[in-house]
Amino acid sequence: MSEFDDLMKQKAVALKYNPDKNGAPVIVASGMGYLAERITETAMAAGVPVYEDDSLATLLTQLQLGAEIPMELYQAIVDIYLYFLGYIPEKEQELPEEEDSEEGDLGNEEEIPD
């Protein structure tokens, strides 16, 4: 199989969650192939954690941008959020202890590209 074929099989989805605006995480970016690669690269460059799950990505790429994830996928998304609770971007790991305690709030919005 060629590199092109491998690239075309890639899928990525970025989610954003704001409990003040939405009842569930919302799809803010979705793509396959080169676009999936760019979504992942952009997330990594911004320090957004990336989680790989091809089955879940396949389901989520079928939804429209701006759509809330369906209730049937809540548990899968919760599992990913739980996985990342211990995630600390490299920039925050280097902060002195007193500054790190001030940065403890993760905010209301999170993105998880797949």
Side-chain angles (χ1 to χ4, degrees):
M1 187 170 286
S2 72
E3 284 185 44
F4 178 76
D5 291 334
D6 288 340
L7 177 65
M8 292 312 295
K9 288 185 177 185
Q10 292 181 8
K11 298 174 188 84
V13 176
L15 301 176
K16 181 176 183 178
Y17 181 58
N18 182 340
D20 295 332
K21 295 182 181 179
N22 306 99
V26 174
I27 296 174
V28 294
S30 178
M32 297 172 61
Y34 178 72
L35 185 54
E37 188 175 74
R38 293 290 298 143
I39 290 169
T40 303
E41 289 172 356
T42 301
M44 291 171 62
V48 175
V50 175
Y51 185 89
E52 293 186 33
D53 183 331
D54 190 50
S55 298
L56 183 58
T58 298
L59 292 170
L60 292 173
T61 55
Q62 295 175 22
L63 301 174
Q64 293 190 8
L65 288 178
E68 290 186 2
I69 62 162
M71 190 178 296
E72 294 80 15
L73 297 179
Y74 281 8
Q75 188 60 53
I77 302 302
V78 166
D79 291 343
I80 293 170
Y81 277 103
L82 291 174
Y83 175 83
F84 285 123
L85 279 177
Y87 175 80
I88 301 172
E90 290 179 28
K91 292 177 188 174
E92 288 184 21
Q93 288 177 353
E94 297 171 6
L95 291 175
E97 190 172 313
E98 63 188 56
E99 286 185 44
D100 192 30
S101 64
E102 294 174 14
E103 296 292 326
D105 180 25
L106 294 176
N108 290 334
E109 298 181 359
E110 295 180 32
E111 294 182 17
I112 304 180
D114 186 9

